[in-house]
Amino acid sequence: MDPVRNPFAPGAGSQPPELAGRDRIVSDADTALQRILLGRPAQSQMLLGLRGVGKTVLLNKIEQTAEAHGYLTSFIEAPEDRKLVDLLYPKIHQVLRKLSLVEAAKATTHKAMRALRSFASAFRINMGDFEVSVDPEPGTADSGNLEYDITELFLKVGEAAKAASRGWVLLIDEVQYLSAEELGALIVAIHRINQKGLPVILFGAGLPAIAALSGDAKSYAERLFTFPEVDALPKDAAANAIRQPIEEEGETIDEALLDQIVTSTKGYPYFLQEWGYQVWNASQQSPISVGCIEVAEREALRRLDEGFFKVRADRLTPKEKEYVIAMARLGTGPYRSADVAEALNEKLTTLGPRRAQIIAKGMIYSPAHGDIAFTVPMFDEYLKRHWIVD
């Protein structure tokens, strides 16, 4: 088959040719966006899921939907080594520059710009090419208290957006890397925005622990946000994610091969894209048949092992690798922390700091008290292929 026509997109955050099985999430986001523009209340969203389930893809889709409704959008990926204020500043500056072009919003945008300048001074933000050429507004967003100041700043942006008859959408990926203080400040700001009926909404995405972290930060987060779970696709949707792109190229695929792909990938979207990409390239002609599965699966696993899995394993120290290998030796998770400690012949309390570090790196999470699981689907199988000798 012609590799140039290959319809699959096995990349981080790459838009797949068929966004299968996610209609409800996209529809709910669309409804919330339209309600906000009408001045009606709507809940922000936090998408929860493991690595490779398509959370970033969904955020990108929601961003496109928001822009189609006339929103100004700001997309942020929260890293482990930078502060939220440094990420927010240039994004808000860009939004205010665009709003300042609307005659009806010039006065409110100017006030928001002054608040942004105050905010930058209070948190010693390096403004660089995004320096605001206005005087700060004394007493506005300049207390140095993140919760108070982000709330005041968001209110000013919301007032400017409302004056311009526009809306602002903030999208944050990898929310789990925000500090408890940063997450709490965002929740308070969105809560106040909702109370004021301003056209601002937040869409976030992160690992499953985000729901608990949000509740820990502010008890009312469960009423402020919805927490859609983004998981592996059910069998029919997973098969359709492979079948439809192939048929749109005027080709066909055997149902027996589809069943094998769904089984091998367990319905995880990233893996579906990789398997789809490889079976297309491995097939000599249409219909794509089971004869190509051995070559395709071998190449798919090679690429995943050298990229998707390896880049995550390389972040671990030798002691941390020892811990996750012990998890994988126990079989399929979730795992009891006590069982991992027993396998390593160490005390549970002694392993606590190591476990916490692996959680902080986003490699494992706690789905229930005393339990741990991998955030990367099929990571245990990768470890067994490369690190565990029976």
Side-chain angles (χ1 to χ4, degrees):
M1 303 282 281
D2 181 5
V4 175
R5 292 174 49 228
N6 194 321
F8 296 97
S14 299
Q15 190 76 29
E18 172 63 18
L19 193 57
R22 306 303 191 203
D23 294 348
R24 178 65 179 271
I25 293 174
V26 174
S27 175
D28 287 350
D30 185 43
T31 298
L33 288 164
Q34 293 190 62
R35 286 181 61 83
I36 289 291
L37 285 181
L38 293 174
R40 295 175 181 172
Q43 290 173 294
S44 292
Q45 284 187 2
M46 285 284 184
L47 309 178
L48 309 180
L50 303 180
R51 305 288 187 187
V53 294
K55 302 185 301 297
T56 302
V57 168
L58 281 168
L59 280 186
N60 286 329
K61 176 63 176 178
I62 292 169
E63 182 179 36
Q64 294 170 8
T65 302
E67 290 172 346
H69 287 305
Y71 278 88
L72 298 174
T73 64
S74 301
F75 195 110
I76 290 172
E77 180 177 334
E80 299 171 77
D81 56 353
R82 291 188 64 190
K83 294 179 179 179
L84 176 64
V85 293
D86 294 326
L87 300 171
L88 280 175
Y89 177 83
K91 296 293 185 179
I92 292 177
H93 181 264
Q94 290 175 332
V95 167
L96 294 178
R97 285 285 301 274
K98 292 174 181 177
L99 291 174
S100 70
L101 301 176
V102 180
E103 187 64 34
K106 286 188 180 296
T108 50
T109 300
H110 183 74
K111 290 179 181 178
M113 281 285 195
R114 294 188 66 186
L116 181 60
R117 180 62 186 270
S118 297
F119 183 79
S121 298
F123 291 95
R124 297 182 174 86
I125 297 170
N126 181 7
M127 293 179 278
D129 295 335
F130 295 94
E131 185 171 359
V132 180
S133 57
V134 296
D135 294 328
E137 179 68 41
T140 302
D142 63 357
S143 71
N145 181 298
L146 187 64
E147 186 175 298
Y148 297 159
D149 294 346
I150 280 187
T151 298
E152 285 197 327
L153 180 59
F154 277 29
L155 287 172
K156 294 297 183 184
V157 176
E159 289 165 0
K162 185 174 183 178
S165 298
R166 302 288 296 275
W168 177 44
V169 174
L170 177 61
L171 306 106
I172 304 180
D173 203 2
E174 304 285 10
V175 171
Q176 71 275 356
Y177 291 134
L178 297 176
S179 69
E181 181 189 20
E182 291 170 337
L183 182 56
L186 282 172
I187 292 170
V188 170
I190 294 300
H191 188 214
R192 189 64 177 144
I193 284 287
N194 284 5
Q195 292 173 336
K196 292 285 188 178
L198 296 172
V200 176
I201 189 168
L202 169 66
F203 292 92
L207 298 177
I210 292 303
L213 292 175
S214 299
D216 291 342
K218 296 295 173 184
S219 60
Y220 52 77
E222 63 185 30
R223 287 169 282 138
L224 188 64
F225 293 92
T226 61
F227 294 92
E229 293 186 8
V230 187
D231 204 347
L233 295 172
K235 183 177 179 179
D236 289 348
N240 196 46
I242 298 293
R243 181 192 299 108
Q244 187 159 329
I246 290 173
E247 291 181 349
E248 287 179 353
E249 286 295 322
E251 313 294 353
T252 58
I253 181 170
D254 287 351
E255 290 298 315
L257 177 55
L258 276 178
D259 288 342
Q260 284 195 245
I261 292 173
V262 172
T263 299
S264 294
T265 62
K266 300 179 182 178
Y268 285 105
Y270 187 92
F271 301 152
L272 285 166
Q273 292 300 306
E274 186 64 61
W275 258 254
Y277 184 82
Q278 296 304 336
V279 297
W280 175 283
N281 286 347
S283 180
Q284 296 298 313
Q285 60 189 9
S286 181
I288 303 173
S289 68
V290 292
C292 70
I293 187 61
E294 185 176 339
V295 171
E297 190 159 289
R298 185 169 61 247
E299 183 63 14
L301 288 173
R302 183 192 68 79
R303 284 180 29 126
L304 287 169
D305 287 354
E306 293 178 0
F308 185 78
F309 292 125
K310 186 177 185 298
V311 295
R312 289 163 172 81
D314 285 350
R315 301 184 66 217
L316 300 174
T317 67
K319 281 293 186 181
E320 290 165 353
K321 283 181 181 175
E322 182 183 79
Y323 190 96
V324 299
I325 289 170
M327 290 171 60
R329 285 186 185 276
L330 294 173
T332 302
Y335 314 90
R336 297 294 295 173
S337 296
D339 291 341
V340 180
E342 183 179 349
L344 291 170
N345 197 27
E346 295 197 45
K347 293 181 179 179
L348 183 60
T349 52
T350 302
L351 288 172
R354 194 190 310 181
R355 175 178 177 270
Q357 276 299 110
I358 305 172
I359 290 174
K361 290 182 177 181
M363 288 299 305
I364 62 176
Y365 73 106
S366 178
H369 180 70
D371 286 354
I372 48 174
F374 289 113
T375 63
V376 181
M378 297 162 60
F379 193 68
D380 58 326
E381 296 176 19
Y382 163 77
L383 292 172
K384 290 171 185 174
R385 283 195 296 273
H386 295 277
W387 297 90
I388 297 176
V389 179
D390 294 326

